[in-house]
Amino acid sequence: MLQAPTAIPAFNDNYIWAIRDGDQCVIVDPGDAAPVEAWLSDQGLTLSALLITHHHPDHVGGVSALCRDRDIPVYGPARETIPEMDHPLGDGDRVRLATPDLELDVLEVPGHTLGHIAFYAPRQGWLFCGDTLFAGGCGRLFEGTPEQMHHSLTRLAGLPEDTQVFCAHEYTLANLRFAATVSPEDPAVSDRLARVSALREQDRITVPSTIGEEKRTNPFLRAADPQLRQACEARFGEAPETNVDSFAALRRWKDSA
């Protein structure tokens, strides 16, 4: 039976996602093989496939080791160089897995990297978005442009509001502190920040979130909000002319925070 994704902690703040069905398991973005191997052994599971969202080392560093003694498919973005990748994917492709029994739509979401993809399971309402969309935030623009990232986030925001967002890092508290800085009077942001603060005080995970929650409290999905535009104008001395300008100002603000 297909189970809800499980987070395998890695490094300081990464989450490697595991999707299991019976004794089979798919892993998303294994930046480190060691915690994955330990978890598979502890759970008595067989690794059946790897799903990769982008090429950064903390997402692909464990791929080669996990494939060394296994004959398993590696799915990843066609526009990036991914170790061991034998199933390159582009926008609109669909991944059909037998074990686990899972179908995933591929969405190209450039911005953080130029070839970044996300995996969306429509039947389950699960989104594996790597470093494009975070709980309360979004990824830095290491390779892409504000236009690309804004378009990517707008696309993800168009998914059903109950879609669960399985991002790849525990950045939620810092992201929501920034959200509270740019919209200090917003009760939805304040309430979420309080809930997340309580979870982190207990060293508990803060994801997944949902698309609906992100649309209400994530400033990077609210570039059109007049209050956020006014905050950007107060910060930088000029009013954003477009939603992309507003997003770019918010990203620049966060980068310097």
Side-chain angles (χ1 to χ4, degrees):
M1 179 178 177
L2 189 64
Q3 298 186 23
T6 298
I8 303 173
F11 307 118
N12 292 327
D13 51 36
N14 278 70
Y15 291 132
I16 300 169
W17 292 104
I19 312 166
R20 62 186 295 179
D21 185 353
D23 63 354
Q24 302 291 311
C25 181
V26 169
I27 293 292
V28 184
D29 284 351
D32 187 0
V36 175
E37 293 284 18
W39 187 82
L40 291 171
S41 177
D42 181 67
Q43 299 294 317
L45 298 175
T46 298
L47 180 60
S48 58
L50 299 178
L51 304 174
I52 309 300
T53 62
H54 66 292
H55 67 83
H56 284 163
D58 62 324
H59 293 254
V60 303
V63 172
S64 294
L66 290 170
C67 291
R68 188 168 298 134
D69 298 316
R70 298 179 175 96
D71 183 16
I72 57 173
V74 177
Y75 299 87
R79 297 176 59 198
E80 297 191 357
T81 300
I82 305 297
E84 315 295 336
M85 180 172 65
D86 54 2
H87 287 72
L89 302 169
D91 194 62
D93 285 343
R94 172 164 284 193
V95 176
R96 293 179 174 86
L97 302 173
T99 50
D101 180 14
L102 190 63
E103 290 190 353
L104 299 146
D105 293 333
V106 177
L107 307 173
E108 288 188 357
V109 286
H112 183 67
T113 67
L114 290 178
H116 202 303
I117 62 174
F119 296 94
Y120 171 57
R123 285 186 297 173
Q124 292 77 23
W126 298 341
L127 174 68
F128 301 94
C129 49
D131 288 357
T132 295
L133 174 63
F134 291 132
C138 74
R140 288 177 179 264
L141 277 62
F142 287 121
E143 299 176 13
T145 65
E147 290 83 359
Q148 287 176 315
M149 184 62 105
H150 179 259
H151 180 267
S152 296
L153 293 173
T154 300
R155 190 175 189 191
L156 295 181
L159 295 173
E161 292 209 347
D162 61 354
T163 299
Q164 291 183 286
V165 178
F166 295 92
C167 62
H169 289 274
E170 184 56 73
Y171 291 163
T172 316
L173 183 56
N175 287 338
L176 290 175
R177 284 172 173 164
F178 174 72
T181 298
V182 300
S183 52
E185 305 302 322
D186 190 321
V189 172
S190 299
D191 289 348
R192 188 180 181 191
L193 176 57
R195 286 187 283 109
V196 165
S197 296
L199 287 172
R200 293 310 295 157
E201 286 174 2
Q202 301 172 50
D203 198 29
R204 292 173 60 188
I205 188 171
T206 65
V207 293
S209 61
T210 66
I211 288 293
E213 187 172 39
E214 295 309 319
K215 289 168 69 174
R216 290 187 295 273
T217 58
N218 187 328
F220 297 104
L221 298 188
R222 302 167 59 210
D225 188 313
Q227 292 185 339
L228 293 188
R229 287 192 172 209
Q230 290 172 8
C232 289
E233 182 178 7
R235 172 75 176 185
F236 295 107
E238 57 181 354
E241 294 184 3
T242 68
N243 290 343
V244 171
D245 291 339
S246 178
F247 168 79
L250 288 166
R251 187 62 260 180
R252 188 163 71 252
W253 190 349
K254 178 67 166 62
D255 289 345
S256 64

